[in-house]
Amino acid sequence: NAGKAGMGIEEIVKAFSSRWRAYHPDIVIYYEACNSIPHVVFRQADQGIADFHRSWYGQLASGLYYRSMLYTYGVEKLHFHLARHQRLLPVLQAFRASLRQFVRLVRAEGATPIFVLQTTQVPEAPVLRTLSLETEQEIRATTQQLAEADTRALYDRIAKVRTYWIQVFVEAVRREGEAAGIQVIDPRPAFSAHSGNPPIFCDEVHLADQGNELIARQ
C-alpha cells in the first residue's frame, strides 16, 4: 500500500519513478481523484493565505493577521478574489496528462495498471457521463446546478460543489482508462445500493471500515 495522505497524481507519478518501481510490481492499482482537484473558493483562499504567510515576505507581516483588521480584510479579499478566478479546466487537463504518463510508466516496467473509480458520499451523477470535459463554463455550470439541486444551505452547497468536482475528475479517470485499454473497476453501484446503515463513509470520500470491506468485496 503506497497510499499517503493528500497525495495527488503528480506526486504519484514522481513516487513511482523514484521509489515504487524498485519493487517490480505485477499490478499497480490507482484509486484517487479527490487529492488532485483544486479547492473550492473558501478553502482555496484559506490555503492561499497560509502559503503566503509561510513565505519569507509573508512572515514579516503575519503578526498583523490577528492584530490589524485592515490587514486581515485586505489579505482575505485579495486571496478570495484570486481563488474565484482560478480555472478548473487547466487543472483537469494536467490531471489527465499525468494519468496517461502514469500508465506509460507502469507499462514500461512490465506491470499492469488498473483504475478503480473513487466513490463519493454523494452518489454518482449520471449527467457527468456525457459531460464535455473540455469546456470550463459547462463543467462549472453543471456542477453548480447539481449542488443547488441537492441543498439550499450555502455551506452544504459549497461542499457539494467540491464533491461534484471530484466526480468530474473520477469521470476523467474512467475515460482515460478506457482510452488506454486498461481495466477500469467501478464499485459505485455497490455503494449506491447500500442502505446507509452502518455508515460506510467518514466524510465526502474517505471510507469507514464497512466501506473498505464493501469495496474489497466488490
Side-chain angles (χ1 to χ4, degrees):
N1 181 2
K4 178 184 175 184
M7 180 177 279
I9 185 62
E10 292 183 359
E11 292 176 279
I12 290 171
V13 167
K14 291 177 183 177
F16 185 85
S17 299
S18 61
R19 300 195 305 274
W20 301 340
R21 63 196 303 179
Y23 292 97
H24 305 294
D26 298 307
I27 296 172
V28 180
I29 299 174
Y30 171 82
Y31 178 84
E32 189 274 326
C34 73
N35 291 333
S36 297
I37 73 165
H39 296 292
V40 291
V41 173
F42 293 151
R43 296 186 186 184
Q44 184 69 25
D46 286 343
Q47 187 63 50
I49 292 168
D51 291 342
F52 169 70
H53 284 146
R54 277 194 289 267
S55 64
W56 68 266
Y57 45 87
Q59 290 177 15
L60 296 176
S62 60
L64 295 173
Y65 194 66
Y66 293 108
R67 293 180 174 88
S68 168
M69 184 175 291
L70 180 62
Y71 173 82
T72 301
Y73 178 78
V75 167
E76 291 188 351
K77 287 288 284 184
L78 171 63
H79 285 281
F80 191 83
H81 173 78
L82 294 173
R84 286 186 61 189
H85 290 83
Q86 182 190 29
R87 298 183 64 221
L88 182 64
L89 188 58
V91 181
L92 179 60
Q93 292 173 333
F95 174 74
R96 299 181 71 175
S98 293
L99 282 175
R100 293 190 287 271
Q101 183 182 5
F102 176 70
V103 171
R104 288 194 298 269
L105 286 170
V106 172
R107 283 176 165 168
E109 292 299 313
T112 300
I114 294 176
F115 287 171
V116 180
L117 302 185
Q118 188 165 30
T119 59
T120 60
Q121 194 172 38
V122 176
E124 175 196 5
V127 68
L128 299 181
R129 290 268 180 161
T130 56
L131 178 70
S132 169
L133 300 184
E134 307 295 336
T135 308
E136 176 92 20
Q137 185 176 358
E138 185 175 350
I139 294 172
R140 285 187 177 272
T142 301
T143 52
Q144 186 69 32
Q145 288 169 4
L146 289 167
E148 289 176 354
D150 270 356
T151 179
R152 293 297 176 185
L154 177 60
Y155 178 82
D156 290 339
R157 194 161 69 241
I158 291 169
K160 288 290 174 62
V161 167
R162 172 178 163 81
T163 302
Y164 286 120
W165 281 8
I166 294 171
Q167 291 190 17
V168 169
F169 277 63
V170 171
E171 174 60 19
V173 173
R174 185 184 70 80
R175 296 185 194 185
E176 291 297 333
E178 292 180 353
I182 66 176
Q183 184 177 7
V184 178
I185 300 173
D186 188 355
R188 294 175 296 180
F191 280 79
S192 61
H194 183 71
S195 64
N197 190 23
I200 53 180
F201 285 93
C202 299
D203 57 21
E204 60 190 357
V205 293
H206 294 100
L207 299 172
D209 289 345
Q210 292 81 2
N212 282 315
E213 180 179 359
L214 180 60
I215 200 171
R217 290 182 183 279
Q218 181 72 4

